[in-house]
Amino acid sequence: MPSYVTHLESALDGARLDAQRLQTLHKERPLWVRYDLDAVKHHFHKAMLRDRPATMWRYRELLPLADDQDIVSLGENMSPLLECARLGKTLGVPNLWIKDESQLPTGSFKSRGQALAITMARHFGVTRVAVPTAGNAGGAMAAYAARAGLEAYVFMPEDTPVINQYECQLAGARTFLVNGLITDCGRIVREGKERMGWFDLSTLKEPYRIEGKKTMGLELAEQFAWDLPDVILYPTGGGTGLIGMWKAFAELAEIGWLTTDKRPRMVAVQSTGCAPIVTAYDRGERFAEPFANAATIASGLRVPAAVGDFMILDAVRASGGCALAVEEARIRAWMQMAVSQTGIAVCPEAAACVGAAEQLAAVGWIRPDERVVIYNTGAAQKYVEAIAVELPRIDCRRPLDWEKIEK
Ligand SMILES: *Cc1c(COP(=O)(O)O)cnc(C)c1O
């Protein structure tokens, strides 16, 4: 089977670029991977999925892979779509599902993007890669680089969650703490390109991470029997996930797999601690201003400037969705509520979506009969600092104080 990719296309001005070689940005803005969807429609049928493993690679006709191409994989399982009736009732969203991406390799959905980006980079002969990261992208990149035998460099803000720091180092990446934000880390990767000879795997600065994240949307469609839900709440940092899912729905419609014309309203959720996309949305603008003094415990949302800002805002608006910032100070409480009412390891980023769901239901933007999906983009366990608590202690060498235990 050949790859169905025809070309790459500038998201800014539609310019065509060659997909047979490794590309980065065009006029400082991202590229789309384009396919011959007529051919895909002709050769790819739903029935073919029955015999394929439950991994993200089952949609390979919609991925930029040729048959003879080696895939760099850690076993990217389809993530479960879990109904959450109890939490839904609390939030006023009775038909609530969480798509639990925390169960992917490296404990976050970043593995989908990095699996594909590293696969393609290696295919094109790259031997050294670098990435600026808010945390999980670096962890995933380091793991896939280790899997592929590539040399990896990771640059992260010095207050990135420690698990992210350690997981990169453990996977053998040269890992550096930077006394700035992810945008400062991005500048280091950009400036080091010539001297260090690395390939820049920054969010959206190469075309393939979107394609990996697109599989979140393909899976969701399959899990809902090709009848998409009404609302998707997505914690938005760089935006690849939201952009990728919106692309997935368009491609599925194009190949005739969706059973209705309805598309979900996409909600880009951010925190009041870092909300550049929400600010641009509220102002009716297509490009976002850098957000000053970005600070949030939801580290994946701490992206003060996103190179794909217009792609996020275009998707949100085309879907009839919205962008919403929830109160930073309440994220920890939403996290506690969500995990204790679902058993799912809901990360702070997804907890922000829990808050957003509650607010949108309260004002009637989400109606009680609507099917709503929250993406749990990462595992709560990776956020040691955010979840740390002082637990009551028991002195087992004295008579037990049962009243203390009972309370
Ligand atoms: C990276 C990340 C996000 C933001 O994802 P984008 O698709 O880049 O917007 C959200 N949550 C977690 C846990 C992340 O690691």
Side-chain angles (χ1 to χ4, degrees):
M1 188 188 79
S3 156
Y4 290 98
V5 173
T6 53
H7 63 284
L8 304 175
E9 179 190 311
S10 162
L12 193 65
D13 64 13
R16 281 176 79 103
L17 281 85
D18 183 5
Q20 298 309 312
R21 61 187 204 81
L22 199 52
Q23 303 274 8
T24 53
L25 298 171
H26 173 76
K27 295 184 179 161
E28 303 296 309
R29 293 293 183 170
L31 301 173
W32 298 115
V33 178
R34 293 303 186 199
Y35 300 81
D36 180 351
L37 291 174
D38 270 346
V40 173
K41 183 175 185 170
H42 197 71
H43 294 288
F44 191 27
H45 305 287
K46 289 177 189 172
M48 292 161 68
L49 294 175
R50 272 204 304 265
D51 304 324
R52 295 190 182 178
T55 72
M56 66 176 248
W57 309 101
R58 64 201 268 102
Y59 312 106
R60 60 179 304 153
E61 283 82 351
L62 288 171
L63 295 174
L65 301 164
D67 219 12
D68 56 353
Q69 193 171 332
D70 283 341
I71 290 170
V72 182
S73 174
L74 291 164
E76 298 69 28
N77 49 291
M78 290 175 85
S79 70
L81 179 65
L82 301 165
E83 201 164 354
C84 297
R86 190 145 59 98
L87 177 64
K89 200 166 162 220
T90 308
L91 299 176
V93 181
N95 303 298
L96 177 68
W97 283 262
I98 292 181
K99 188 149 169 66
D100 189 13
E101 298 285 309
S102 75
Q103 299 190 35
L104 272 123
T106 77
S108 95
F109 80 113
K110 289 292 195 302
S111 287
R112 296 181 187 269
Q114 293 294 0
L116 209 61
I118 293 281
T119 292
M120 297 306 287
R122 188 175 70 171
H123 174 70
F124 286 116
V126 168
T127 57
R128 181 184 276 189
V129 289
V131 79
T133 181
N136 289 322
M141 187 272 242
Y144 284 90
R147 187 78 175 151
L150 306 187
E151 228 186 312
Y153 288 77
V154 177
F155 299 87
M156 51 175 64
E158 61 191 356
D159 50 354
T160 298
V162 291
I163 299 294
N164 294 132
Q165 301 178 23
Y166 303 158
E167 69 181 340
C168 293
Q169 177 73 16
L170 196 58
R174 295 287 309 280
T175 307
F176 299 90
L177 300 180
V178 177
N179 62 343
L181 291 169
I182 187 172
T183 34
D184 300 299
C185 300
R187 180 173 56 83
I188 295 170
V189 171
R190 206 166 55 240
E191 285 181 7
K193 212 155 70 183
E194 215 142 281
R195 178 181 178 126
M196 300 299 294
W198 57 43
F199 183 65
D200 184 348
L201 282 176
S202 299
T203 301
L204 293 166
K205 290 190 180 166
E206 57 75 56
Y208 301 110
R209 274 176 67 184
I210 300 185
E211 296 303 296
K213 294 190 176 180
K214 192 175 84 178
T215 59
M216 285 195 293
L218 301 175
E219 275 181 32
L220 185 73
E222 185 178 356
Q223 287 168 322
F224 272 123
W226 313 107
D227 176 16
L228 293 168
D230 299 286
V231 176
I232 291 177
L233 296 135
Y234 185 80
T236 304
T240 34
L242 192 149
I243 295 165
M245 278 194 277
W246 191 244
K247 184 173 192 278
F249 302 150
E251 290 175 356
L252 287 174
E254 196 78 25
I255 66 169
W257 282 25
L258 298 180
T259 54
T260 72
D261 288 338
K262 191 191 69 198
R263 309 272 176 90
R265 308 202 295 286
M266 307 295 288
V267 181
V269 178
Q270 299 194 306
S271 154
T272 50
C274 183
I277 299 299
V278 176
T279 307
Y281 175 82
D282 288 343
R283 291 181 184 157
E285 286 167 359
R286 190 173 182 228
F287 297 93
E289 294 289 327
F291 195 88
N293 305 319
T296 167
I297 63 164
S299 44
L301 305 186
R302 198 165 54 146
V303 181
V307 69
D309 50 1
F310 66 108
M311 300 158 85
I312 303 170
L313 287 156
D314 286 355
V316 165
R317 290 184 175 123
S319 76
C322 65
L324 183 68
V326 299
E327 215 179 307
E328 172 65 23
R330 296 180 67 192
I331 290 178
R332 178 66 184 77
W334 283 315
M335 195 179 174
Q336 178 74 55
M337 179 170 92
V339 181
S340 64
Q341 292 188 21
T342 65
I344 300 166
V346 175
C347 62
E349 293 84 351
C353 295
V354 170
E358 186 173 50
Q359 287 170 24
L360 291 171
V363 298
W365 195 89
I366 294 175
R367 295 185 305 273
D369 61 317
E370 292 189 307
R371 294 180 301 159
V372 177
V373 175
I374 288 174
Y375 273 78
N376 182 37
T377 40
Q381 295 92 331
K382 295 185 88 173
Y383 300 78
V384 178
E385 299 91 337
I387 64 178
V389 287
E390 194 62 39
L391 299 175
R393 292 177 187 276
I394 288 173
D395 185 347
C396 63
R397 297 187 200 95
R398 288 167 181 271
L400 292 177
D401 178 358
W402 283 105
E403 262 176 40
K404 182 170 161 185
I405 293 172
E406 211 170 23
K407 254 197 302 192

